Amino acid sequence: MGFNHAAERKKYEQKWALLRKKYRKAGMSKEEIQEMYEFDWNAFLSERRYREHTQPLPSESFSDDDEDSMSGLFKKFDSLKVTFSEDDFTGRYSWVETIEDEELCASLKALSTNDLELITLMVIDDYSQSDIAKKDGCARNTVNKKLARIKKLLREG
């Protein structure tokens, strides 16, 4: 779903090389052609921004057998793969209690509420880093750095 900027730019420039010839034959001035090129270039950049910053909505439900629909953290850490009924828990972070690895569970409990919320958004709510950044009004890189810090804390814990 990503946008390969180099490949798309190459196609764009090839298309415009042909269009320039066509427009010159039609009698357009260099300034008019350049104006059209710049308009199309802005549309190209807009499309790139849109495709880089939009994600498909997570599926509302998934089967336990469907590995593709699981969060990346679930795929990476087998200790996070547990089943439970959400009705058995009352708090937002009750899922931590379901972790069977005692060391990991203790490390998760030691995290701040903000860190737990970030992990919950990713693991339980299946948000992407971009979605979280949008929600928090920050850059995706900021979310990435917070996650790196949390991972380091969990490894050390």
Side-chain angles (χ1 to χ4, degrees):
M1 173 109 174
F3 189 87
N4 183 337
H5 181 79
E8 295 297 324
R9 172 101 190 241
K10 184 177 178 181
K11 287 182 204 173
Y12 174 82
E13 293 297 341
Q14 288 172 344
K15 174 184 143 192
W16 259 94
L18 296 173
L19 285 173
R20 282 183 196 280
K21 290 177 186 176
K22 188 187 255 188
Y23 293 153
R24 275 191 217 117
K25 283 184 182 178
M28 293 178 70
S29 70
K30 285 186 178 184
E31 292 81 22
E32 292 171 324
I33 295 171
Q34 185 61 28
E35 195 175 320
M36 290 183 71
Y37 173 86
E38 288 173 11
F39 179 85
D40 282 356
W41 178 245
N42 287 327
F44 172 85
L45 293 175
S46 177
E47 174 68 14
R48 185 191 82 187
R49 279 189 302 272
Y50 173 79
R51 289 180 55 192
E52 285 181 346
H53 293 94
T54 49
Q55 297 285 327
L57 290 174
S59 61
E60 293 298 318
S61 63
F62 59 87
S63 158
D64 291 336
D65 299 330
D66 188 7
E67 287 284 322
D68 292 337
S69 62
M70 291 180 129
S71 165
L73 287 175
F74 280 118
K75 292 176 188 173
K76 188 170 183 178
F77 299 105
D78 285 334
S79 58
L80 291 176
K81 293 179 183 176
V82 294
T83 56
F84 60 91
S85 170
E86 290 183 17
D87 298 332
D88 295 341
F89 302 100
T90 57
R92 172 110 172 110
Y93 312 115
S94 298
W95 63 270
V96 173
E97 300 294 330
T98 67
I99 306 296
E100 293 172 357
D101 182 330
E102 292 176 17
E103 194 175 305
L104 178 59
C105 184
S107 296
L108 285 167
K109 286 179 182 179
L111 293 175
S112 70
T113 305
N114 288 340
D115 291 347
L116 268 176
E117 179 62 19
L118 180 61
I119 294 172
T120 302
L121 286 170
M122 289 196 73
V123 175
I124 302 299
D125 299 337
D126 203 24
Y127 279 54
S128 68
Q129 288 184 23
S130 298
D131 294 335
I132 295 169
K134 235 183 260 180
K135 180 184 175 303
D136 291 347
C138 63
R140 192 187 71 71
N141 195 35
T142 304
V143 174
N144 191 29
K145 286 180 182 180
K146 288 179 183 179
L147 286 170
R149 181 184 49 77
I150 293 168
K151 287 177 189 176
K152 184 178 177 187
L153 288 172
L154 292 176
R155 277 190 218 113
E156 293 170 356

